[in-house]
Amino acid sequence: MHLCPTFLLLLLRWVRLHLWVRRWRCSNGNNSRLPTCAQRRWAYLRVMVRSLYYNSLTSSDVIMDSLMEPIFWVVDVLTRWFGPVSVFVCLVVVLTSSILLIAYVGLLPMVLSTYSPPWIAWHIGYGHWNLVMIIFHYYKAIRTAPGYPPKVKNEVPFVSVCKKCIIPKPARTHHCGICNACVLKMDHHCPWLNNCVGHFNHRYFFCFCLFLTLGCAYCSISGRNLFLDAYSAIERFKHTDLEKSGIPVTGMGLLIGILTPGQSTYQTPPPTYTFRDKMFHKSIIYMWVLTSTVAVALGGLTIWHAVLISRGETSIERHINNKETERNATRGKVYKNPFNYGRLNNWKVFLGVEKRSHWLTRVLLPSGHAPYGNGLTWDIYPIRKDMMPV
Ligand SMILES: [Zn+2]
Ligand SMILES: [Zn+2]
């Protein structure tokens, strides 16, 4: 019976363990039967839940921030994942490519086979010119740095000091919180370009908006009849799907003797639409809705920027000048924007038109010429009236 000592040994160990656990519980003042790691997690969870309502500093803003935290995390991860290319830039490329695909695969063969030669020449000529202008200006707007003031000691006159960069700010320079840098003649930070719009890429940005609006308006106007046809065809698809087995001939069909009763009570089956037909019509509807929407929305933005350029202002200066106008009006004075050189001169300066031929070579054709001036110093209206002798 040598099982007996083994049993006694096990019993003794169990009793010692039991006594040790009781002693540990007493010393911790804890009667919980949960393991330590679970206890810690439970305590953390209780503190976390309590902190949501047992906190004198809690407000709706704190709760909203906490709830939005996962969204910020996703955006942060996506931004890091995409690197220098933003989600918006990808969206512009994908949407433009989808329209091009429809135009080349669906519309071009139809235009070549059904349109007269002058119309074919117009569509191919205008369409490709507009496309080149959009791609050129978008690429240049993304790739061209907006221009930054020098960070080393220099003789450039400045109007203030940036509190964040701790460097002197020349006239028309503003700090961009997203780029975390001061930008020369800053207009705004554009997420669609993933770049700031400033002195060196303002023209590219505006021309991109202008030519994209023109391109969308061109697609919308020339594709209007195709859209109406496609829309009615889609309506017919629905009926066709419902009447796949043919529809019974009733009323007039029987009266005028198209079919004698008893011979056949069904019409010829309606024409069948292939998958290709359906895809074509749906693509036309997609293209027309997208281009019309962009033409209206972007057209409004382009007109607004054109008004600002005519006044010699940037988007930021519009707010500053409005405040200055109001401030001067209260003192009985009239505020004059010092960078407004007159409507036509403003456009010439903006587009870099120095002679007549430049309207063709620098405005209607892709041109990578540098903007007028260095963005650091500016001519003031009363001193030099004619900025560019044209
Ligand atoms: Zn700054
Ligand atoms: Zn920026």
Side-chain angles (χ1 to χ4, degrees):
M1 306 267 76
H2 42 275
L3 269 177
C4 221
T6 316
F7 176 74
L8 282 172
L9 196 68
L10 280 172
L11 188 70
L12 190 66
R13 279 190 180 175
W14 185 82
V15 169
R16 278 170 69 184
L17 183 71
H18 189 70
L19 287 170
W20 181 83
V21 168
R22 280 191 69 176
R23 213 168 47 232
W24 183 82
R25 276 185 195 161
C26 290
S27 64
N28 283 290
N30 191 347
N31 292 324
S32 171
R33 283 165 188 264
L34 288 169
T36 317
C37 61
Q39 281 178 30
R40 275 195 201 139
R41 285 189 183 170
W42 172 241
Y44 177 75
L45 200 67
R46 279 201 315 187
V47 169
M48 198 179 78
V49 171
R50 278 184 189 175
S51 71
L52 284 175
Y53 62 93
Y54 190 69
N55 186 350
S56 59
L57 296 172
T58 300
S59 66
S60 59
D61 290 343
V62 174
I63 293 169
M64 280 308 289
D65 283 353
S66 308
L67 292 174
M68 295 292 276
E69 196 60 36
I71 298 168
F72 293 146
W73 181 81
V74 169
V75 172
D76 193 41
V77 167
L78 279 177
T79 311
R80 256 183 283 154
W81 189 56
F82 277 96
V85 182
S86 84
V87 180
F88 292 105
V89 173
C90 291
L91 199 62
V92 171
V93 173
V94 168
L95 292 178
T96 312
S97 305
S98 69
I99 298 297
L100 283 178
L101 190 73
I102 294 167
Y104 279 109
V105 176
L107 294 177
L108 191 62
M110 189 205 70
V111 168
L112 291 175
S113 60
T114 54
Y115 282 36
S116 63
W119 277 112
I120 291 175
W122 156 253
H123 283 299
I124 289 180
Y126 178 82
H128 284 94
W129 169 76
N130 204 328
L131 179 64
V132 168
M133 295 301 272
I134 292 169
I135 294 172
F136 173 79
H137 287 107
Y138 191 55
Y139 179 79
K140 291 293 273 185
I142 290 176
R143 300 292 297 171
T144 309
Y148 306 103
K151 291 186 177 173
V152 290
K153 198 169 182 289
N154 58 78
E155 298 299 316
V156 175
F158 62 95
V159 291
S160 62
V161 173
C162 178
K163 289 173 193 164
K164 291 183 180 162
C165 305
I166 326 284
I167 54 166
K169 277 204 297 190
R172 311 189 87 177
T173 297
H174 297 281
H175 183 87
C176 173
I178 298 165
C179 299
N180 199 23
C182 278
V183 174
L184 300 178
K185 205 194 98 179
M186 183 181 167
D187 190 89
H188 67 289
H189 185 94
C190 182
W192 299 101
L193 302 178
N194 197 28
N195 197 4
C196 244
V197 176
H199 179 65
F200 288 97
N201 63 352
H202 196 179
R203 179 175 66 89
Y204 297 129
F205 162 77
F206 177 78
C207 288
F208 164 67
C209 292
L210 177 70
F211 288 111
L212 189 59
T213 304
L214 289 178
C216 287
Y218 161 72
C219 287
S220 177
I221 293 165
S222 53
R224 186 178 165 274
N225 288 338
L226 277 175
F227 165 73
L228 292 173
D229 289 348
Y231 190 78
S232 54
I234 291 282
E235 286 296 307
R236 281 202 302 277
F237 293 159
K238 289 178 189 167
H239 290 291
T240 314
D241 288 343
L242 289 172
E243 300 159 2
K244 263 180 185 163
S245 57
I247 50 166
V249 177
T250 51
M252 288 300 285
L254 290 170
L255 281 173
I256 61 177
I258 294 172
L259 295 165
T260 51
Q263 186 186 18
S264 170
T265 54
Y266 287 90
Q267 276 184 339
T268 315
T272 52
Y273 290 99
T274 60
F275 177 73
R276 195 185 156 87
D277 291 335
K278 288 186 181 183
M279 281 305 291
F280 175 75
H281 288 109
K282 284 178 181 174
S283 303
I284 295 291
I285 290 172
Y286 161 77
M287 188 185 86
W288 193 83
V289 170
L290 181 65
T291 53
S292 304
T293 313
V294 173
V296 171
L298 193 62
L301 186 82
T302 309
I303 289 169
W304 171 241
H305 275 277
V307 170
L308 292 179
I309 293 162
S310 303
R311 292 172 177 169
E313 291 175 326
T314 61
S315 304
I316 296 174
E317 284 166 359
R318 179 78 199 132
H319 298 289
I320 297 170
N321 291 347
N322 276 349
K323 281 184 183 170
E324 282 298 307
T325 307
E326 283 173 24
R327 199 169 63 87
N328 278 267
T330 55
R331 295 176 183 176
K333 292 179 183 173
V334 177
Y335 174 75
K336 176 107 182 67
N337 173 20
F339 310 112
N340 182 0
Y341 313 121
R343 195 173 296 164
L344 186 60
N345 271 336
N346 286 338
W347 278 105
K348 285 175 184 170
V349 168
F350 180 77
L351 298 169
V353 175
E354 292 170 12
K355 53 185 179 181
R356 276 208 186 131
S357 63
H358 281 169
W359 288 108
L360 173 68
T361 56
R362 292 189 164 185
V363 180
L364 296 177
L365 292 174
S367 170
H369 64 276
Y372 181 78
N374 57 8
L376 298 167
T377 51
W378 296 91
D379 293 312
I380 306 298
Y381 169 70
I383 300 169
R384 285 186 61 188
K385 193 170 180 179
D386 294 316
M387 298 295 301
M388 288 187 170
V390 179

